[in-house]
């Protein structure tokens, strides 16, 4: 005989689930299981205006994305993504488990996206309802780029502002002058447009403050991230006292900086959902705004939007980067309107995978680097030339650290002529490619064994 209470419970469940597909009844009995995780490596094309620059600065490491299609025994699919390269079987521990076992997971952001997508779809609820009460339906977002010569930075501002963005973030680097870049951006920026400068958390007050003092004279200057090393409390106190630009902390103990009044806000970079929840709680308890930074495509951006929709202090412009690519594997576009994106309304992430486009991009040929030199020009007339392979381990132009060639050299470091590496030096740099010209071919030959410098009489 069926117990009366069980009978009533069963009847209630049956009535409540009447609109749902019968396959979802398996979940109610606790039997939804992850059966397969497809992994697709794609290298979508960049936007035309800066494709070559991004590829030479960061190589395939930035352009490559991995799309995860997580399947269950109920026929539901959840979608996640990460940067490359592909590491086969990275998430095998999720196989055979119930997606609901992984709520508030603190380990894997790509799988967070797919897991919450599955849970939302199974309940016919948007992801934000699984995270908390919604506090906003539109989420502010920022565009992102790499450091380039002033004219190219101005073009970046024009491009992203025309696409609805009000903020642009970039890492300053020692191969460009941040003040000169800002002057060029100021000339073309629409009213209210702002720049977010990431200072790489690698310097000190004495070196950085003179640059910041000049930047804050421009109305386009918006905020600075990690201006000095996070261990330098006294330096941060001085900056807070003298700097009129808001200071954002990324690489540092968030709670410590907030409690001691050393920052105006902070960033949670690529934080799995469980950690993002903790950061959001800390921010709320300290009444401090914060931002998420989760660089990727529209899958990533949709998940970010659901998170930021429920975190009260997530009021700073979140960095995603989905604007970098010309093509995506998601049918929805998520346009930027007035500096913000709308939180998707459908079940799960509220997005639809285009399987045909996914297969197309997975099978497409990978771009290859052509010959180029990094050309560094100081106003003193000093010229520096070197080869650069962005795909070698440790390659990073932010710090003038091009790696060595093969096994002959482990790297140059800063051992080249010129002023002490800094972000306000009188310098401009670019990528030089004139294959076939006598000057380029001669310099290409000279740089075979390492960097080459010459002193020119021209400033």
């Amino acid at each position: 005989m069926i117990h009366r209470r069980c009978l009533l419970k069963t009847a209630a469940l049956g009535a409540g689930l009447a609109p749902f597909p019968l396959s979802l009844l398996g979940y109610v009995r606790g039997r939804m299981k992850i059966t397969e995780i497809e992994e697709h490596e794609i290298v979508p094309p960049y936007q035309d205006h800066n494709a070559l620059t991004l590829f030479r600065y960061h190589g395939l490491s930035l352009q490559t994305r991995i799309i995860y299609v997580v399947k269950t025994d109920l026929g539901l699919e959840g979608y996640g993504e990460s940067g490359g390269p592909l590491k086969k079987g990275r998430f095998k521990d999720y196989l055979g488990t119930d997606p609901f076992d992984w709520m508030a997971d603190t380990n894997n952001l790509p799988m967070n996206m797919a897991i919450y997508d599955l849970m939302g779809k199974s309940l016919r609820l948007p992801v934000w309802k699984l995270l908390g009460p919604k506090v906003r339906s539109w989420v502010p977002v920022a565009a992102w780029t790499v450091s380039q010569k002033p004219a190219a930075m101005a073009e970046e501002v024009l491009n992203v502002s025309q696409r609805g963005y009000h903020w642009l973030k970039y890492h300053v680097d020692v191969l460009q002058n941040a003040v000169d870049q800002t002057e060029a951006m100021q000339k073309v920026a629409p009213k209210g447009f702002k720049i977010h400068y990431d200072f790489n958390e690698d310097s000190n007050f004495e070196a950085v403050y003179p640059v910041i003092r000049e930047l804050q004279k421009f109305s386009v200057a918006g905020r600075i991230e990690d201006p000095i090393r996070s261990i330098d409390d006294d330096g941060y106190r001085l900056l807070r006292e003298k700097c009129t630009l808001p200071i954002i902390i990324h690489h540092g103990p968030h709670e410590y900086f907030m409690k001691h009044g050393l920052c105006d806000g902070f960033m949670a970079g690529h934080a799995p959902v469980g950690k993002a929840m903790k950061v959001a709680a800390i921010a709320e308890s300290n009444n401090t705004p914060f931002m998420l930074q989760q660089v990727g495509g529209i899958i990533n951006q949709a998940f970010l939007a659901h998170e930021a929709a429920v975190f009260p202090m997530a009021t700073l412009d979140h960095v995603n980067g989905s604007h970098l690519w010309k093509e995506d594997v998601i049918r929805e576009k998520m346009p930027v309107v007035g500096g913000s994106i709308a939180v998707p309304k459908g079940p799960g992430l509220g997005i639809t995978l285009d399987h045909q486009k996914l297969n197309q991009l997975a099978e497409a040929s990978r771009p290859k680097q052509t010959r180029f030199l990094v050309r560094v020009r100081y106003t003193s007339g000093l010229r520096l030339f070197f080869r650069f392979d962005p795909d070698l381990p440790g390659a990073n132009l932010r710090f003038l650290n091009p790696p060595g060639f093969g096994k002959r050299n482990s790297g140059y470091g800063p051992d080249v002529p010129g002023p002490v590496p800094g972000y306000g030096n009188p310098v401009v740099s670019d990528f030089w490619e004139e294959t076939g010209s006598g000057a380029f071919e001669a310099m290409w030959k000279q740089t075979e064994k390492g960097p080459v410098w010459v002193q020119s009489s021209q400033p």
Side-chain angles (χ1 to χ4, degrees):
M1 179 181 293
I2 300 176
H3 192 280
R4 180 175 179 274
R5 184 176 296 171
C6 291
L7 179 61
L8 291 173
K9 184 176 180 182
T10 303
L13 283 173
L17 288 173
F20 283 68
L22 289 177
S23 61
L24 294 185
L25 292 174
Y27 165 68
V28 176
R29 296 195 299 270
R31 292 209 301 259
M32 180 162 69
K33 300 295 181 187
I34 295 172
T35 57
E36 184 181 0
I37 301 174
E38 292 181 1
E39 303 165 313
H40 304 267
E41 182 180 277
I42 62 174
V43 185
Y46 285 134
Q47 302 291 342
D48 293 336
H49 76 283
N50 61 3
L52 192 58
T53 297
L54 291 174
F55 189 52
R56 287 178 170 173
Y57 204 106
H58 280 299
L60 284 171
S61 64
L62 175 65
Q63 192 169 357
T64 302
R65 288 163 49 204
I66 312 302
I67 306 299
Y68 302 94
V69 181
V70 180
K71 299 184 176 182
T72 72
D73 57 354
L74 299 185
L76 295 174
E77 290 184 351
Y79 310 125
E81 70 168 315
S82 70
L86 175 62
K87 299 177 182 178
K88 287 271 186 190
R90 176 182 171 192
F91 300 124
K92 61 183 179 181
D93 290 346
Y94 291 82
L95 291 171
T97 66
D98 186 332
F100 283 83
D101 294 339
W102 300 96
M103 293 189 75
D105 181 20
T106 60
N107 291 313
N108 299 306
L109 179 59
M111 286 301 292
N112 293 161
M113 301 174 203
I115 290 296
Y116 275 81
D117 194 21
L118 285 170
M119 290 191 294
K121 286 173 178 174
S122 72
L123 299 175
R124 288 195 169 178
L125 297 173
V127 162
W128 66 261
K129 280 185 176 285
L130 304 176
L131 298 172
K134 186 197 278 187
V135 295
R136 62 184 62 87
S137 296
W138 288 83
V139 172
V141 290
W144 179 93
T145 192
V146 297
S147 181
Q148 303 162 61
K149 62 184 181 181
M153 294 303 295
E155 186 179 1
E156 291 281 0
V157 169
L158 284 172
N159 183 277
V160 300
S161 63
Q162 289 168 1
R163 297 170 66 184
Y165 288 93
H166 290 177
W167 281 84
L168 173 65
K169 173 186 168 173
Y170 79 104
H171 283 264
V172 295
D173 69 31
V174 301
L175 297 182
Q176 309 290 350
N177 181 295
V179 179
D180 292 343
Q181 291 173 318
T182 303
E183 184 176 11
M185 292 187 284
Q186 175 85 57
K187 290 178 180 177
V188 301
K191 185 178 180 180
F193 192 90
K194 297 291 184 180
I195 303 298
H196 174 142
Y197 306 88
D198 189 332
F199 271 75
N200 304 307
E201 204 248 337
D202 71 336
S203 195
N204 54 55
F205 175 86
E206 289 76 12
V208 163
Y209 179 63
V211 181
I212 295 174
R213 185 176 57 206
E214 293 302 310
L215 292 179
Q216 62 192 19
K217 295 177 181 178
F218 296 91
S219 61
V220 76
R223 54 177 165 247
I224 53 175
E225 175 188 340
D226 290 344
I228 59 178
R229 294 182 181 90
S230 60
I231 59 172
D232 189 355
D233 288 12
D234 290 338
Y236 271 101
R237 289 189 184 95
L238 275 171
L239 280 176
R240 287 275 283 153
E241 178 184 331
K242 294 178 176 292
C243 179
T244 60
L245 297 176
I247 296 172
I248 305 298
I249 294 298
H250 179 189
H251 297 98
H254 297 148
E255 191 167 13
Y256 177 85
F257 272 82
M258 283 185 284
K259 284 187 174 180
H260 291 81
L262 300 178
C263 68
D264 299 286
F266 64 93
M267 170 186 288
H270 304 278
V273 64
K275 291 183 179 178
M277 289 175 176
K278 293 177 183 177
V279 165
I282 292 171
E284 195 169 354
S285 66
N286 287 276
N287 194 35
T288 303
F290 79 100
M291 64 174 64
L292 299 169
Q293 178 174 266
Q294 299 170 184
V295 178
I298 292 178
I299 296 174
N300 201 320
Q301 181 163 268
F303 186 67
L304 183 155
H306 284 285
E307 291 181 285
V310 304
F311 299 151
M313 297 309 297
T315 58
L316 301 180
D317 305 78
H318 308 277
V319 182
N320 174 251
S322 63
H323 66 288
L324 297 175
W325 291 277
K326 257 172 134 175
E327 301 178 33
D328 208 300
V329 297
I330 299 302
R331 296 186 186 279
E332 295 78 11
K333 300 300 181 185
M334 294 191 72
V336 180
V337 180
S340 298
I341 55 173
V343 179
K345 295 180 179 179
L349 291 175
I351 56 178
T352 312
L353 183 67
D354 186 333
H355 287 272
Q356 182 177 358
K357 176 63 73 172
L358 176 61
N359 292 333
Q360 212 173 60
L361 291 175
E363 295 169 2
S365 59
R366 282 17 181 180
K368 294 181 180 179
Q369 293 287 356
T370 54
R371 289 192 305 162
F372 69 93
L373 292 170
V374 179
R375 177 172 53 183
V376 184
R377 292 170 285 181
Y378 292 94
T379 56
S380 65
L382 180 66
R383 302 287 186 266
L384 172 66
F385 303 86
F386 58 86
R387 300 184 188 185
F388 179 64
D389 183 350
D391 290 309
L392 288 180
N396 197 329
L397 285 178
R398 294 176 195 164
F399 314 108
L400 189 57
N401 188 32
F405 303 104
K407 299 179 180 179
R408 290 202 295 268
N409 189 354
S410 60
Y412 310 140
D415 297 326
V416 291
V420 173
Y423 303 124
N425 289 333
V427 63
V428 65
S429 306
D430 60 6
F431 297 123
W432 184 29
E433 177 185 24
E434 287 185 53
T435 299
S437 77
F440 178 83
E441 296 298 339
M443 188 56 69
W444 180 260
K445 180 68 175 176
Q446 290 182 62
T447 56
E448 183 178 5
K449 295 182 179 179
V452 172
W453 49 88
V454 297
Q455 184 68 45
S456 171
S457 59
Q458 299 297 321

